[in-house]
Amino acid sequence: MMEGTAGVSGHRHADESLLDNPDRLAEQDPGGMLRFTASAGAQVRESAALAAEANLTVLADDGRPRAVVIAGIGTAGRTGDLLATVAGPRCPVPVIPHRSAGVPGWVGAADVVIAVSASGRSPEALGAAEAAHRRGARLVAVGAPDSQLQSVAERARAPFIPVPRRAPARASLWALTVPVLLAARTLGLVKVNEADLAETAARLDADADRCRPTAESFVNPAKSLALGLSGSIPIVWGSSPLATVAARRFGDTLSANARYPVVTGALGEAGRGRVGLLDGVFGGLVEGERDIFADPNETGSDATRLRLVLLRDGGLNAEDDTDEPLAVEERRADAVQTLAERRGVRCDVVTAEGGSALERLASLMAVPDFASVYLALAHGLDPMAVPAITEMKELSNQ
């Protein structure tokens, strides 16, 4: 095997038949990434119980903070984005995700730092926890029990919420997010009640059932989405700030699980330039040359095309003072769908459901999470093992 390709296997064109063969799916997924993805609802319940056992009430003793910094990298860093969008524009203090070592220079005794790491040993979370302790900021730590992060929290006499490491970090988003939300609730920054958590867990359970390996492609929304994306360059846009968080999460999982390059972002930003991708060499130009009598789902074609995935917020705008009126978001989403249709660029739409911001986020993330795993399996890739990540760590640590 050539140097630099150690451990790389799979095939360029997706094997559609594999997705409707549960036995072959199980063989392709030896690490159980589908099973871990299906555990999202259970993660919400378990993390809520673990957070309830932690002594979070001490956070409220010093009153409302000046700002909250959520420190972590990768999936742990996404928890800050989820907190910011669930808190919404009425949040009384800034909520700032921080993805590099240490903490911002202005952090001090008036602030709260929430350090998050699934393994409990990421340099970013550890550095932030230690810096928060040195500067006298209130600290909350979330991560694996009996880890370095727990040791730092104990030295700082700060609350630590243990999250058992049952799955890879990217399949543990909900296990890491719920403690962050409940810490913020204790500080009076976000309204998340027990009913919201229960309904979100139930939504994740229901979507896991719809996306189960034994459900065939024509009734399984995740398999259908995966097959539509196969061989394409996905563009994932969110119609609102909440939907944009879900879009960026889909970009994470498509890259890590299925190894697909992906463009993600907010639809409002796309309208300032990136919507031009629909006219480009992977969009309207290549679609204009396509044989109209050819099979639209043919995987053997060498022409790489865009595939648009539009995440829409579902018509619920709980806040009267959101950044943009709902009508503006809806018109923009309709316009982009029309533009894609005129250029022959295929578009998948996932619409949020649920009464709370948290449940709507879950409804936008669950099916795409499964789709990224199914897309990996269809290409013969093990979504659990990413050789390039291991190789990069080895090369970086030499």
Side-chain angles (χ1 to χ4, degrees), residues 99-115:
R99 291 179 167 85
S100 54
V103 293
W106 49 261
V107 168
D111 307 303
V112 170
V113 174
I114 306 177

Side-chain angles (χ1 to χ4, degrees), residues 337-375:
Q337 285 184 245
T338 300
L339 285 173
E341 182 180 339
R342 287 177 178 174
R343 285 150 179 78
V345 175
R346 288 174 176 76
C347 178
D348 297 285
V349 180
V350 181
T351 302
E353 298 176 356
S356 68
L358 192 62
E359 186 182 355
R360 299 206 316 280
L361 266 172
S363 72
L364 289 176
M365 290 181 177
V367 170
D369 273 2
F370 275 99
S372 70
V373 179
Y374 283 126
L375 186 56

Side-chain angles (χ1 to χ4, degrees), residues 53-77:
E53 294 173 4
N55 186 23
L56 291 176
T57 55
V58 298
L59 287 174
D61 291 346
D62 292 327
R64 181 180 290 168
R66 178 179 61 175
V68 175
V69 174
I70 300 89
I73 196 75
T75 301

Side-chain angles (χ1 to χ4, degrees), residues 95-263:
V95 174
I96 302 167
H98 184 71
R99 291 179 167 85
S100 54
V103 293
W106 49 261
V107 168
D111 307 303
V112 170
V113 174
I114 306 177
V116 187
S117 170
S119 66
R121 59 176 186 267
S122 84
E124 293 78 13
L126 289 170
E130 289 166 349
H133 178 41
R134 284 197 307 272
R135 298 188 192 189
R138 279 176 279 174
L139 171 67
V140 186
V142 180
D146 303 317
S147 63
Q148 293 169 267
L149 186 58
Q150 181 171 359
S151 298
V152 175
E154 287 172 351
R155 285 203 308 274
R157 298 186 178 180
F160 177 78
I161 303 170
V163 177
R165 189 79 189 271
R166 307 194 194 286
R170 63 183 179 277
S172 304
L173 176 68
W174 292 100
L176 298 172
T177 295
V178 170
V180 172
L181 292 173
L182 295 181
R185 182 180 73 176
T186 304
L187 292 165
L189 308 185
V190 65
K191 295 178 181 177
V192 176
N193 57 40
E194 274 57 42
D196 294 336
L197 293 171
E199 289 162 5
T200 299
R203 170 77 58 184
L204 291 165
D205 286 343
D207 282 336
D209 184 62
R210 292 167 61 214
C211 299
R212 66 190 184 277
T214 54
E216 294 184 327
S217 297
F218 63 91
V219 295
N220 186 320
K223 290 182 180 178
S224 299
L225 181 56
L227 291 174
L229 289 172
S230 68
S232 73
I233 299 174
I235 298 181
V236 189
W237 285 329
S239 69
S240 70
L242 181 146
T244 299
V245 171
R248 293 193 168 118
R249 162 68 178 177
F250 194 18
D252 294 343
T253 58
L254 277 174
S255 296
N257 292 334
R259 282 63 132 178
Y260 265 53
V262 57
V263 177

